Each structure stands twice: as structure tokens, then as C-alpha cells.
Amino acid sequence: MDRRHFLRTSSAAALAVPAGGYFVVGAEPKPLRVGLVGTGWYGKCSLFRLLQVAPVEVVALCDVDKKMLAEAADLITARAKAPKKPRLHADYRELLKEKDCDVVMVETPDHWHALPAIAAMEAGADVWVQKPVSVDVLEGKAMLDAARKHKKVVQVVTQRRSTPHLVDAKEKVIKEGKLGTVGHVEICCYYHMRSGDKPPVTKVPEFFDYEMWTGPAPLREYDAPFYKDLDANLPHRRWWRAFTEYGNGIVGDMCIHMLDMVRWMLDLGWPTRVSSTGGILVQKNAKSNISDTQSATFEFPSLTVTWQHRTWGSTPDPEYPWAAFIYGDRGTLKASVNKYEFFPQGSNRPTVTGTALFEEDKFPEDKTEKDLERHVASALRRHWQDFLKARESRGKPVADIEQGHISSASCILANLSQQLGRSITWNPEKHICVGDDEATKLLKRPYRAPWKHPADAV
């Protein structure tokens, strides 16, 4: 985990973090003005990485949890060494009214990605948005259309595309042809991450706007596991991931990262056909309604990618519990967020390897930051740097909204296939499920009033 692999390509060199810790793009006259929508775990994690690589003025924060918002304001003000705290809002529309943000970060639960991102583009900002970009396919298409209409740069937080050791693997293994002809890829996740809780319905705390938090999603009765550090039951503290009302389960949360990584490494576009089976097969006593077991097959013109997750039992390869296995006729590449290994055909010894890059000598705060996935910090920094370069050139970043939409929608199609019990043939030009009107209707979920689905916008 402590071996460092510095990239030798000119593009990688351009992304290297200078010794001073700041990456100034071009001759931007003022600090980047940033607004953050969603001040929870990953919102702060992403913003803190930006503060490490560019001069930033955090002008506004938005969250429906008053306690979380106030805590984030204190932490961000201290980390940014700012003379004053940013403006605080409970409604993203109020944050955007000022039109004073160069970049708006959308770090909300999945059901709240599309509307704030599109509104931010309409307000003149470029956007940094969490994956998956949407909870239904047509939300993602609306986000892509908005980005192109308003000529905005949108970076999706599929940061495997900026992970140093994975960039290394792409350069040294795939581009050098060591795999030969690739005919199959397996991706997987065996983390026990599906909640087994059965909390009772309880009262909404005074500091939390549950109505606004739910937004366009179905309104569930208020329940969530108890968090002692917050002295409250809070569904927005990761409990939401257990429900299809707010996201796309393990496929939408974890498969998208590995599928997107493989698409990027192998230069794959849309799958032509998607099929999936599974359900709640073992953990039947929890409130959670996402699958605990699911397989999916993504058929591309030249190869297939298969997915498997289980939130119970053991992993087939303990060193790669969340990973991709890329099979060629000359060898196999194993890749994860922690490392990669290339095994030539017929050998059980890797000949090319790499591990996650830690830069804690340059950024010692990485060692003590609460909840930081330390092995991901370098990837997030480079993801920001790529985004900043794209803002300067007005080009597409490495995780452009189109790529995020393809990966997100592919995972949503897998869930629809599992739900319907049949394969889906996909037409990306028309955005329809070929010969399947029922599946096509499910590409857009109904919104709870008064919210309007962006695909219905005139």
C-alpha cells in the first residue's frame, strides 16, 4: 500500500501536484468560487481535496440538516483559512439565485442529483456531480442535454478514471497490448454493505427538513438507525442507500464504478444488451429493499462484462473484493481501488503491478481527516485537476457527463432487467428499449408533486 507509482506520460506529468500544494490553471484572475449542495461525508471529502490543489473561495453551502450544515461551515472555513463563513442555505434554489458560483458541487443522495445539477448549469455554473448521475435513465439524458445546451463542463465523480495506479495499469498493460485480445471482463463487489436494520418509525428532528430531503422521491415514513454521535435517527446518513426510492442499490452504488473503469480502460461505449437476475435471497428480515444478491451481463460489440454482488458470505478472491478482472488471450489484469496486477497467460506470478498512491507527506491532513478514504485522496485531487483543465479549455473532462450518463444508465438498465425478468436491448440514439414498451416507460420515474421531472421540461 505504500509503494508509489508515478506516471511517466506527459498528461500525467501535467496533473502532478506541485510541491506547494496548489495547481493554478492558466491565469485565472481570482480564486475559484464554489458552492456545495450536500455537506455530508463525500461532499466535504471532495471539497477538501479541491482546497488542496487550487485557490478556492467557498461562497455558499446548502443542506437540509441544520446541524450538519453548521458543522460543515466551521470545518470548511477552518480548512480554507477563510476570513468569513460561506452563505448557508436549506434550499439549493436559494444558493443559485446569487449566480456567484463558478462551480457548483452536487454531493446529495442520488435522487437529488438531476434537478440541482441542471439548475446550476442554467445559473451559469460548471458542475461537479456525484455518481450515479441519476436514479432513472431520462434524468441522466436531461443532464447531458443541459450541459450541451448551456455549454457547461460537467465532471462526474467516477474517480477511477483519475486514480494514479489505474492510469498506470491502462498505460503499461492495456495500451502496451500485454493482454492481447480481450474477450471478457468480470466485475464484482462482495462488501457486506446492505443494512440489516429494522428501525421503528419515529419523529423527524427539528433541525432536519425531511420533506425537502425527500423532494421528488416517494415519501417514506420517517425511520433510520440511531446515530449516537448525532443524537438522532437520520436517513441521510447512509441509511438511504438501502432503499430503491432514493438510489439504485449496490449496482448503482458500486457496479457503476467498476463498469465505468472498464469502459474507460477499454474504450467502450454503450452496451447493446443488458440482462440481470437476483433479489433479496438471504437477508430477508431487514427493512432494506435493495437486492442482496445480483448478477448482470452487459453485452458490448466485442466483449461481455459480467457483474456479481453479494452482501453476505465470503469473497472468491480476498485480495479483490471490489474489483475488475480483465481477461485477454495473452494474460489477465486484476484491478481494484487499492492495487493492480498483470498475470501473463499460464503464470501465477504478476509481472506488472501497482498500488494506490498516498501523498501524505505533501498533504498531512489526509492522515487525520474524519471518514476520508485515504487511498482515494490522490485520485480525487487529480480528478479536480482534470476538471480545472477542462474548464480552462472548455473541453470535456475525463469523466464528462456523457460518460457518467452511459455508465449510470447501463446500471439502471440492469436493475430494470432484474425487475422485469427479461433482457433489455438498448437503442442509445433513440433512448428506448427495443421492442419493449413496458421497459421504455420505466426509463422515467414519476416525480412526487410539486417537483417536475427534467425530461418533461419544455
Side-chain angles (χ1 to χ4, degrees), residues 79-97:
R79 283 287 289 266
K81 297 181 174 60
K84 64 178 182 178
K85 291 183 180 180
R87 299 193 318 271
L88 304 183
H89 300 279
D91 188 323
Y92 72 91
R93 293 168 296 188
E94 295 300 315
L95 180 151
L96 296 173
K97 274 184 180 179

Side-chain angles (χ1 to χ4, degrees), residues 334-349:
K334 296 183 177 183
S336 77
V337 296
N338 294 309
K339 65 177 183 176
Y340 79 87
E341 296 172 297
F342 169 70
F343 297 83
Q345 180 63 30
S347 173
N348 60 4
R349 292 179 178 273

Side-chain angles (χ1 to χ4, degrees), residues 35-46:
L36 170 62
V37 181
T39 62
W41 168 40
Y42 237 85
K44 293 191 291 290
C45 179
S46 293

Side-chain angles (χ1 to χ4, degrees), residues 312-333:
W312 53 273
S314 59
T315 174
D317 189 335
E319 292 191 24
Y320 290 91
W322 180 34
F325 305 86
I326 304 177
Y327 298 100
D329 61 356
R330 294 177 56 190
T332 299
L333 174 64

Side-chain angles (χ1 to χ4, degrees), residues 195-215:
S195 175
D197 289 305
K198 297 177 68 176
V201 174
T202 188
K203 182 181 178 181
V204 179
E206 300 260 336
F207 57 84
F208 179 54
D209 187 344
Y210 186 51
E211 172 69 30
M212 184 64 180
W213 180 87
T214 301

Side-chain angles (χ1 to χ4, degrees), residues 14-44:
L15 290 178
V17 180
Y22 283 93
F23 187 120
V24 181
V25 178
E28 192 142 8
K30 295 185 292 188
L32 191 72
R33 297 171 301 173
V34 175
L36 170 62
V37 181
T39 62
W41 168 40
Y42 237 85
K44 293 191 291 290

